[in-house]
Amino acid sequence: MMADIRVKFVSQKISKIRWRPCSRQGFGSSDVFATGSWDDESNSVSMWHLPGDSQGDEDMEDDVSDELVEKEPRLLCETLHRGDVQDLQFLGMEHLITASSSGTVSVFRHHPNSQVIGVSQEWDKLHTFPSQNNCSCTSVASQDETIVSCGEDGKMNVLIVGRRPPLRRIDNADSCTINDVIFLKQSEVVTVNSTGQLKVFDLRQPSDQPTSLFLVTGDQTALLCIDKHPTQHHVVAAGGQDGVLSVWDLRQEKYPVTLLEAHSAPMWEVKFHPNHPDHLFTCSEDGSVWHWNASTVGAASAGAGLLAGTGAGSGGGIAFAASMPGGSGPNPSHSCPWLTLDVSRHKMDITSLLPTQKNLPVNSIDIERQILLCGTDEEAIYAMELPAIR
Amino acid sequence: MGHSSKWRQSNMAERERDLHILWLPGTASCYGLQATWGMGNQLYVFPGRNPILQEDGVQAHNPEATEISEVRWDTDMHDKLIRRLVNQSHNIFMMLQSQAADASSATLKQQLVKCSKQYRSVMKACSMDLLEASDNTADEMDIERFQDQLKVFEMQELIWSLCEILFIDVAPGGRILIPLLEWLRRHFPVGFQIFKDILQQEKPEEHREYWECIYRLILQGEVEKVRSLLARHPARQTDCFLSMEELLKKMPLCSSNYKGSSLSEFEMKWRHWREDCERRLEEGDFATNKYLETVARILCGDNTVFSHLRDLCQTWYHMLISKLLYQNPTVKANDLQYYTQDCLDDFRCDGMLGDLDNILIAVFEFDSHQVLKECSGFFTSFWFAAHLTDLLHHGGCLKSHRLVFGSDLREYLLLDYAASLMSHKSLWQVGVDYLDHCPLFGRSYLEQYIEHMSYESEKKAVKLLHICERRNMTSQVKSICKVMGMRLLHNDRLGAALTWFLKSKDVAFATLVAEKFLTQYSDKGKFDNLDLIDNLGSSMLLSNRLTFLGKYREFHKLYEEREYHAAGHLLFSLLTSRLAPREFWITLLKDALGLLQLRELVYGSKQTCEMMHCLEELTKDTKHLEAGKQTTDLSELQENISLLQVALTKNLAKAIVTEGTVHPS
């Protein structure tokens, strides 16, 4: 299967790439995405439009002639960003949160009518070191109006959009660097750190201690990224500095249910497909992007995934907080192929998506519907159509 | 970097006329200037040490001169629009290297041609971007800059495609003129543009440049277009027009249609046709029309008419190919050089030969080394020369001779190109791959660059680390981990620092961190980094101190879980195995105090005796107790020691009693 690939060279190394969430959950598809750059004299946050929607957008069909040029991503607007963009998340349709290598967390507002983007709120140097060194804010996550930020200082901040002082600071969240954070439920977050630990924090608890701690293996390999199953929130996948993909069942194990040797270099991002959770995507420093198709493993659960798929995306997780009492409840693990992988590994279908082998690193991926976006150190944006996902 | 500086100087000496002068503000020139190399295209300039004697014999005096200026120079590569050239050509370069490594010579030629075309299409894409940018801006400075860059790209394409024809994609059967004509038409499109213009007109023959256009087209061998123009002339039915039409129609085309026929067959046909042309000209077929007569004289390859039409040819190399088309259409590639001089002479009155002329002459002379040498001096960036050289190298067109500084031309140019990338804040990752393909100096250069690289975020450090690990650069791996670890250490991030030292298996620094953990414990009475210490696993074995730390923490856990016996034995083995640092013994013994005071017996008589020995050893060797302690602490310590002595004695008594008691089974 060869994907239809569109490439745009953008003259800056892309550290993060994110689809803007759809206005109508589950319907239509987004054609706007954001990118952040890193490691340059000046870095920027940019908004892009991806024309030529394959799912039949009527407005676009009149000109077929300049199809190739027409289908390239087009820059809508951009703005300077202080420091490397370490993380980038949409907050609804018009707001973007960025994590900076300067330790700052910023909220940008994109005005879609005038195509202007600018800072609307900033928590300057939220993450700091006692010395002059910059302390990177490595990751941000959001749930409704709540933002959680993590950094190389091992601290975690809980912020509310529109309010200046942080709602809460967890100073000793981690002895090491926190590399990624995601919301698990309404008030529960998961972090991964540079000694291969995965921690669950309940933000309602007064204690600074995690409610549970998981380990990848005994040998302290850093975990760099994490994503949760869009419908079964006790299933999380994380990528390590050694390129290994690990899958946990947060209800029971201290160690991952599945460890899959994957890339030959650090894995920078892992993403479940929001509507088809049997499909997973990973990208790596080795320059490859992999598509993991587990729909052929065990009992098919695609149907169940689709039914509950409205929970994915921004701010939709609330509905699940009630139905997911941690650890107990009905056991749906039989319908989740990611938890039974080690038994039937031979059935896993893995495809490498980029055409050439010796690419520069791929730092970021995002998938929505059938289009996978990649941001690379090659200063290119890739948009790949994957018609095989159903 | 020593090499690099020498090379640049020699390069500069060669091109003295390209000197740039930059005034450095605020530098004390009376002390002279000194400089040291930074990363690639970067110099650090600072005042010299020895004051220069001024004319009146007074020594210049400037004690405040402590400024260091950073001087950097960008190459074309650093322009935003042209950065895609760097990245896209990097892909082609990498593909070519892997193919060259394992392709047979037959397939390699195909690959080389493909790569050459890809390089050219990337240049084309950049030209298009520049054109678009130039159209979309109103800033005259920008427009001028874009236009300058466009001109450079045009020249590069001109040279590259000529090299492709003569070195890489060599036409079979030696019919070199066909691709050369295509090359000519692509780079001299004026004739074709006027042609299109004329066709739009109602009365083409009245177009101001009607005949000029015909000359231009015939000089490029565009016979069909000339015929269609002549066919639109109102006098087309006159004898002279008909005669010309017949000649043009019969002209043995230098086109691919002729591929089937043999060279000798073509030559025969050509001779016949030429004789026909000459006969008609002599018989005065075109005497009534001076324009047609000129065309006929071109067809006959008349030297004087070419000189006459010099301005339409624009350049000597256009004239060269036009002349050859009508004078020697089956010329061999190797013989091209014998025809250049005549054409050059025709253009000589314009003054000196330019750089471009010299490069093209060298191409026609198949002097690939001269071509590349001229190119690398002429174009400000090394992109062009480096990639062309690499391509020619793989095509076997370069004799491998060593340059004075030890590497061959390919490596020299690749190193210089890589240097310009490595000095760029963002493009350095591309540079790494180029250095990989420099067999002689690449590795040591990369090591130097990595050591001078700045990195703040862990993410960048991880990327650098990966680059080093993949290339087994162990000492650089160690130094990156050390830099990161030390930075975290200075910022009181002990846990995070330890992860970096564990990564590089740095025993000394892992020990240092472990000691800091222990000091922290001694000061505060609790550990701060339990999440890390509790999960050290097998990595605690890296250093004795780390092992002790892990085990000591295990003791605390056992104690908290009321596993007193296990806790007691662990503590005892820490003491007696000498794993614990001496200055920590008193802490361990104090911890033992709790166990000794329990109702149940934890330590037997033998163990108690050994612990008493430890205590005694400690009190004798007072330097471990006194070091850095206040007198108040010391008295507290004395108190502790006597407490321990009492507790141990009591425990011994208890143990002897218990051990002496026979338990009924």
Side-chain angles (χ1 to χ4, degrees):
Chain A
M1 180 199 73
M2 198 64 241
D4 167 28
I5 302 182
R6 286 179 259 174
V7 191
K8 171 85 177 170
F9 283 87
V10 295
S11 294
Q12 47 186 206
K13 293 193 284 194
I14 301 297
S15 54
K16 289 288 162 183
I17 193 161
R18 294 285 178 259
W19 278 114
R20 185 173 73 183
C22 303
S23 48
R24 295 161 293 167
Q25 279 289 324
F27 298 97
S29 61
S30 181
D31 52 4
V32 173
F33 62 91
T35 58
S37 77
W38 79 287
D39 200 28
D40 211 337
E41 300 289 349
S42 65
N43 293 294
S44 61
V45 174
S46 316
M47 300 293 297
W48 302 85
H49 176 249
L50 186 72
D53 185 0
S54 67
Q55 276 137 43
D57 201 343
E58 289 88 19
D59 315 343
M60 300 298 294
E61 271 178 22
D62 28 275
D63 57 333
V64 199
S65 54
D66 294 311
E67 205 172 1
L68 265 177
V69 182
E70 287 294 313
K71 287 180 100 180
E72 259 191 16
R74 193 168 53 84
L75 182 68
L76 294 174
C77 53
E78 62 183 333
T79 185
L80 285 181
H81 185 267
R82 266 193 301 139
D84 298 346
V85 176
Q86 296 273 22
D87 200 3
L88 182 71
Q89 299 291 345
F90 269 95
L91 188 73
M93 290 278 289
E94 292 184 3
H95 289 93
L96 271 167
I97 323 162
T98 63
S100 164
S101 61
S102 66
T104 301
V105 173
S106 314
V107 177
F108 287 87
R109 174 146 193 214
H110 171 229
H111 303 266
N113 294 327
S114 54
Q115 291 304 352
V116 175
I117 186 168
V119 177
S120 70
Q121 194 179 0
E122 209 166 49
W123 286 274
D124 195 32
K125 305 258 177 209
L126 194 60
H127 295 268
T128 49
F129 282 137
S131 76
Q132 293 294 308
N133 299 119
N134 274 330
C135 172
S136 225
C137 174
T138 51
S139 177
V140 285
S142 72
Q143 179 87 294
D144 303 328
E145 300 288 283
T146 311
I147 302 171
V148 168
S149 77
C150 292
E152 288 180 11
D153 52 2
K155 292 181 174 58
M156 194 194 294
N157 293 288
V158 183
L159 311 164
I160 303 289
V161 180
R163 265 183 40 181
R164 176 126 287 278
L167 184 69
R168 188 173 170 194
R169 298 185 72 114
I170 302 179
D171 280 340
N172 296 313
D174 208 305
S175 297
C176 305
T177 296
I178 305 175
N179 285 322
D180 200 4
V181 59
I182 55 164
F183 267 92
L184 203 58
K185 294 178 209 164
Q186 177 73 340
S187 56
E188 216 170 65
V189 294
V190 197
T191 62
V192 286
N193 77 0
S194 58
T195 43
Q197 297 174 351
L198 186 150
K199 292 175 180 174
V200 181
F201 290 88
D202 188 338
L203 300 178
R204 291 167 303 191
Q205 302 275 333
S207 158
D208 280 5
Q209 294 302 309
T211 48
S212 41
L213 188 147
F214 301 82
L215 294 178
V216 59
T217 48
D219 58 1
Q220 322 271 303
T221 311
L223 287 172
L224 299 176
C225 53
I226 183 166
D227 195 24
K228 64 165 190 256
H229 193 285
T231 58
Q232 299 176 22
H233 293 179
H234 56 277
V235 180
V236 296
Q241 197 174 329
D242 52 358
V244 170
L245 176 71
S246 36
V247 183
W248 273 273
D249 182 344
L250 295 183
R251 296 168 307 178
Q252 27 184 312
E253 301 279 346
K254 186 181 184 184
Y255 293 100
V257 181
T258 319
L259 276 175
L260 295 164
E261 288 209 8
H263 298 279
S264 61
M267 186 189 291
W268 289 119
E269 272 189 320
V270 53
K271 282 269 148 67
F272 282 101
H273 192 291
N275 308 109
H276 307 277
D278 289 349
H279 295 265
L280 184 126
F281 300 86
T282 57
C283 68
S284 161
E285 182 75 8
D286 66 12
S288 61
V289 176
W290 285 10
H291 173 189
W292 307 66
N293 182 358
S295 61
T296 48
V297 178
S301 67
L306 259 182
L307 274 178
T310 47
S314 75
I318 325 135
F320 284 88
S323 66
M324 288 292 300
S328 62
N331 186 352
S333 71
H334 296 299
S335 63
C336 185
W338 300 106
L339 299 181
T340 52
L341 270 182
D342 47 348
V343 199
S344 49
R345 197 181 161 184
H346 55 284
K347 285 185 196 158
M348 172 75 92
D349 187 11
I350 303 167
T351 323
S352 182
L353 292 178
L354 288 178
T356 51
Q357 290 308 309
K358 286 183 177 168
N359 292 308
L360 286 181
V362 181
N363 294 320
S364 182
I365 46 172
D366 201 13
I367 176 109
E368 196 167 278
R369 292 274 152 160
Q370 291 172 2
I371 301 182
L372 178 78
L373 297 172
C374 311
T376 68
D377 278 346
E378 194 189 14
E379 307 196 323
I381 295 172
Y382 290 80
M384 274 181 264
E385 229 159 290
L386 305 166
I389 299 175
R390 293 223 167 73
Chain B
M1 297 290 124
H3 276 295
S4 143
S5 70
K6 252 181 262 163
W7 296 3
R8 272 166 204 284
Q9 279 157 10
S10 71
N11 197 38
M12 267 179 168
E14 261 173 54
R15 308 237 135 232
E16 274 167 80
R17 64 200 139 103
D18 292 344
L19 275 184
H20 286 281
I21 293 175
L22 176 77
W23 297 106
L24 294 175
T27 33
S29 55
C30 53
Y31 279 77
L33 280 179
Q34 285 191 312
T36 179
W37 284 96
M39 286 278 280
N41 299 353
Q42 193 183 34
L43 269 178
Y44 292 105
V45 182
F46 48 91
R49 237 170 306 167
N50 301 319
I52 298 162
L53 275 180
Q54 285 178 348
E55 274 173 23
D56 51 4
V58 182
Q59 276 198 351
H61 213 65
N62 193 349
E64 301 299 318
T66 49
E67 239 165 67
I68 301 175
S69 310
E70 181 193 343
V71 180
R72 276 203 276 179
W73 55 100
D74 290 349
T75 66
D76 290 347
M77 289 304 115
H78 296 192
D79 195 284
K80 249 195 154 169
L81 279 169
I82 302 178
R83 271 165 77 163
R84 68 178 292 177
L85 181 73
V86 175
N87 283 294
Q88 272 183 295
S89 55
H90 165 247
N91 279 344
I92 304 169
F93 176 83
M94 293 301 284
M95 199 166 68
L96 177 59
Q97 307 311 308
S98 67
Q99 281 166 346
D102 45 40
S104 68
S105 59
T107 54
L108 181 61
K109 197 206 148 185
Q110 282 180 340
Q111 296 296 350
L112 286 172
V113 174
K114 204 173 135 201
C115 285
S116 177
K117 293 201 160 122
Q118 282 175 335
Y119 279 129
R120 284 201 290 122
S121 79
V122 176
M123 282 191 260
K124 185 83 195 161
C126 278
S127 302
M128 303 284 273
D129 283 354
L130 282 169
L131 207 59
E132 198 191 319
S134 158
D135 288 345
N136 290 341
T137 179
D139 187 338
E140 287 198 1
M141 290 279 280
D142 275 349
I143 292 179
E144 197 179 316
R145 188 165 56 89
F146 290 142
Q147 291 300 331
D148 282 352
Q149 285 172 337
L150 264 172
K151 263 184 217 147
V152 172
F153 271 111
E154 257 161 49
M155 273 187 243
Q156 291 184 337
E157 150 72 18
L158 183 81
I159 298 166
W160 191 295
S161 48
L162 185 62
C163 289
E164 185 181 299
I165 292 166
L166 292 178
F167 293 112
I168 312 275
D169 192 10
V170 184
R175 295 277 293 281
I176 200 73
L177 213 56
I178 298 161
L180 283 179
L181 273 175
E182 280 164 24
W183 174 72
L184 195 64
R185 288 169 196 159
R186 208 165 52 235
H187 289 99
F188 295 90
V190 186
F192 180 63
Q193 275 154 10
I194 306 172
F195 171 72
K196 278 197 297 186
D197 205 30
I198 291 175
L199 289 188
Q200 307 269 315
Q201 306 257 323
E202 233 168 88
K203 290 183 174 171
E205 77 285 358
E206 285 176 13
H207 191 281
R208 202 165 36 86
E209 293 169 309
Y210 177 80
W211 286 105
E212 189 190 313
C213 177
I214 286 178
Y215 298 155
R216 280 181 190 275
L217 290 172
I218 204 76
L219 285 170
Q220 293 184 357
E222 297 265 35
V223 176
E224 291 307 316
K225 292 196 178 71
V226 172
R227 284 177 64 199
S228 79
L229 279 183
L230 290 178
R232 282 175 166 76
H233 199 277
R236 58 187 172 270
Q237 294 300 339
T238 57
D239 283 348
C240 58
F241 272 85
L242 288 173
S243 177
M244 178 53 72
E245 162 67 10
E246 212 182 316
L247 272 185
L248 291 175
K249 205 168 143 189
K250 285 200 305 193
M251 176 174 169
L253 286 170
C254 279
S255 72
S256 48
N257 303 355
Y258 256 76
K259 251 180 194 161
S261 63
S262 71
L263 199 64
S264 55
E265 203 178 324
F266 172 81
E267 271 178 339
M268 196 183 69
K269 278 189 180 163
W270 180 267
R271 234 182 1 258
H272 281 297
W273 178 78
R274 258 292 284 279
E275 279 161 13
D276 194 16
C277 292
E278 278 161 6
R279 190 177 48 77
R280 285 174 198 241
L281 187 63
E282 270 167 39
E283 286 173 0
D285 270 21
F286 313 109
T288 51
N289 188 318
K290 63 174 176 154
Y291 300 111
L292 285 182
E293 195 178 348
T294 307
V295 175
R297 283 169 64 202
I298 299 173
L299 297 184
C300 294
D302 180 354
N303 261 326
T304 51
V305 80
F306 285 106
S307 302
H308 187 65
L309 295 176
R310 200 190 70 154
D311 290 345
L312 294 187
C313 283
Q314 295 166 274
T315 63
W316 62 269
Y317 42 93
H318 188 316
M319 185 188 273
L320 172 73
I321 290 157
S322 300
K323 259 185 171 176
L324 286 170
L325 172 62
Y326 295 104
Q327 291 179 345
N328 190 358
T330 53
V331 65
K332 299 277 179 296
N334 286 322
D335 295 336
L336 286 170
Q337 51 188 302
Y338 305 122
Y339 299 90
T340 53
Q341 196 54 51
D342 273 352
C343 302
L344 279 168
D345 287 343
D346 267 318
F347 283 83
R348 186 53 61 90
C349 52
D350 285 0
M352 293 272 291
L353 282 177
D355 289 289
L356 182 63
D357 299 315
N358 284 325
I359 295 170
L360 291 176
I361 291 170
V363 180
F364 282 123
E365 287 172 354
F366 281 86
D367 187 347
S368 46
H369 272 279
Q370 188 63 24
V371 174
L372 299 166
K373 203 178 141 204
E374 296 272 348
C375 284
S376 53
F378 180 46
F379 297 112
T380 51
S381 85
F382 282 91
W383 180 88
F384 182 80
H387 287 88
L388 185 59
T389 308
D390 178 61
L391 195 69
L392 296 181
H393 165 84
H394 290 299
C397 309
L398 284 180
K399 279 171 254 115
S400 67
H401 76 246
R402 291 227 161 164
L403 303 177
V404 273
F405 29 79
S407 70
D408 60 9
L409 186 64
R410 170 180 176 270
E411 174 153 346
Y412 166 61
L413 291 170
L414 285 180
L415 282 172
D416 243 324
Y417 177 60
S420 73
L421 295 174
M422 294 309 284
S423 50
H424 192 275
K425 173 99 167 59
S426 183
L427 292 171
W428 58 272
Q429 278 162 298
V430 179
V432 173
D433 280 339
Y434 281 90
L435 289 174
D436 278 347
H437 290 96
C438 298
L440 276 172
F441 295 109
R443 169 90 180 195
S444 58
Y445 269 50
L446 184 60
E447 287 171 358
Q448 289 281 328
Y449 281 124
I450 297 271
E451 275 162 23
H452 289 82
M453 196 77 80
S454 75
Y455 40 94
E456 272 212 316
S457 71
E458 289 204 355
K459 195 169 178 178
K460 187 167 177 181
V462 166
K463 278 172 180 276
L464 270 173
L465 202 62
H466 176 68
I467 285 172
C468 298
E469 279 169 351
R470 252 187 58 198
R471 291 161 179 80
N472 284 323
M473 292 161 59
T474 38
S475 100
Q476 280 71 26
V477 166
K478 203 154 186 175
S479 97
I480 291 169
C481 290
K482 193 171 278 176
V483 168
M484 289 307 287
M486 288 304 284
R487 186 180 298 163
L488 288 160
L489 217 52
H490 288 313
N491 287 305
D492 295 329
R493 299 281 303 144
L494 298 185
L498 183 60
T499 59
W500 284 98
F501 297 135
L502 287 178
K503 222 170 265 180
S504 61
K505 309 228 177 304
D506 194 322
V507 180
F509 277 97
T511 305
L512 181 82
V513 175
E515 261 161 18
K516 285 196 179 247
F517 277 137
L518 291 172
T519 322
Q520 223 175 37
Y521 174 78
S522 303
D523 294 349
K524 291 193 195 171
K526 69 180 183 70
F527 286 110
D528 271 343
N529 300 277
L530 286 183
D531 53 348
L532 178 67
I533 300 169
D534 281 351
N535 297 296
L536 275 175
S538 58
S539 47
M540 73 167 72
L541 299 175
L542 180 66
S543 101
N544 280 342
R545 205 51 48 88
L546 208 55
T547 316
F548 170 70
L549 174 72
K551 289 287 166 197
Y552 182 58
R553 168 60 194 157
E554 215 173 296
F555 157 76
H556 276 268
K557 269 203 284 193
L558 287 170
Y559 193 86
E560 277 165 26
E561 287 160 14
R562 295 172 181 278
E563 297 280 347
Y564 295 127
H565 276 275
H569 285 288
L570 184 56
L571 192 69
F572 178 77
S573 67
L574 284 177
L575 257 179
T576 50
S577 66
R578 303 292 197 249
L579 198 59
R582 188 63 86 74
E583 56 274 21
F584 215 75
W585 280 15
I586 188 69
T587 316
L588 292 181
L589 287 167
K590 264 175 4 192
D591 286 328
L593 206 56
L595 291 167
L596 293 170
Q597 285 160 351
L598 287 172
R599 176 171 293 189
E600 59 183 305
L601 189 70
V602 176
Y603 294 112
S605 57
K606 221 173 148 191
Q607 287 178 322
T608 317
C609 284
E610 276 195 56
M611 285 166 84
M612 289 169 102
H613 277 299
C614 286
L615 189 64
E616 203 176 358
E617 207 176 310
L618 208 56
T619 35
K620 266 186 200 159
D621 189 6
T622 45
K623 77 172 195 292
H624 288 292
L625 299 173
E626 280 168 16
K629 299 276 177 177
Q630 302 282 315
T631 39
T632 47
D633 289 342
L634 217 64
S635 64
E636 193 191 314
L637 202 69
Q638 285 302 333
E639 207 174 297
N640 275 327
I641 288 171
S642 39
L643 260 175
L644 270 166
Q645 278 165 340
V646 174
L648 283 167
T649 322
K650 276 186 181 167
N651 194 70
L652 184 63
K654 205 157 107 188
I656 292 170
V657 172
T658 318
E659 282 158 15
T661 313
V662 181
H663 292 280
S665 52

